[in-house]
Amino acid sequence: SSGINAEYGREVKLLMKELKNTDEDDWREALGSTVEFRKSGTVPNIQDSRARLVLVAGFHSLLTSLSRRRGKQLQAAAAQLIEAGLDKKVLDAVLELLSESEDSAIRFSEVDWRLDVILSNQSLGKVLQPEVLMKMTLTDGSSLDLQLSQQEFHALRQATARTLFELCQLRERKFISSS
């Protein structure tokens, strides 16, 4: 049980304790409020009871922690939670929500790019200006077209490299899982 506290935070341990005294309709409502909060930022009504606050905070911590895991890591985490005493029906509901949110998450499905060099134009004559054209198609069918100058492309490239470097540092420090 202390492993649960270390791995998932105190909120999940309190959630597991509170769930023993909560009927299914109430915990499902708290789970729904938590999901709504995560999607829209709308703060759920938690002033009515301490139990509801514990449920929402616990579900939020649990969803946050499990959403970082994939495949075998998620299966191992689920087994650890069951072993620690989390009700299987609760865990199944949480995992179903995670699966739905992952299925509905919008991602890049395709990225096309092209490098053009503007040789000249009528007003300036010889220009020799490179330009990067990118088309990113998303899984929802929409697309994003970018037209970047050389300076803008380098700024994007540097920001991407910096972000990837920071993610690697977080992964090394075990703040995020390497899924």
Side-chain angles (χ1 to χ4, degrees), residues 87-128:
D87 185 289
K88 182 160 176 25
K89 189 182 276 189
V90 173
L91 181 62
D92 288 344
V94 168
L95 293 174
E96 183 178 333
L97 285 170
L98 285 174
S99 174
E100 289 172 4
S101 68
E102 187 171 299
D103 292 343
S104 65
I106 298 174
R107 294 186 169 83
F108 291 115
S109 63
E110 191 175 332
V111 177
D112 291 323
W113 63 275
R114 184 176 82 212
L115 176 64
D116 289 343
V117 178
I118 301 170
L119 299 175
S120 65
N121 66 24
Q122 288 179 334
S123 61
L124 296 175
K126 196 173 192 176
V127 177
L128 295 176

Side-chain angles (χ1 to χ4, degrees), residues 64-83:
T64 300
S65 178
L66 291 177
S67 67
R68 297 181 187 133
R69 294 171 166 82
R70 302 281 182 271
K72 290 180 181 178
Q73 286 182 335
L74 184 58
Q75 291 170 353
Q80 180 186 25
L81 288 163
I82 292 292
E83 185 178 309

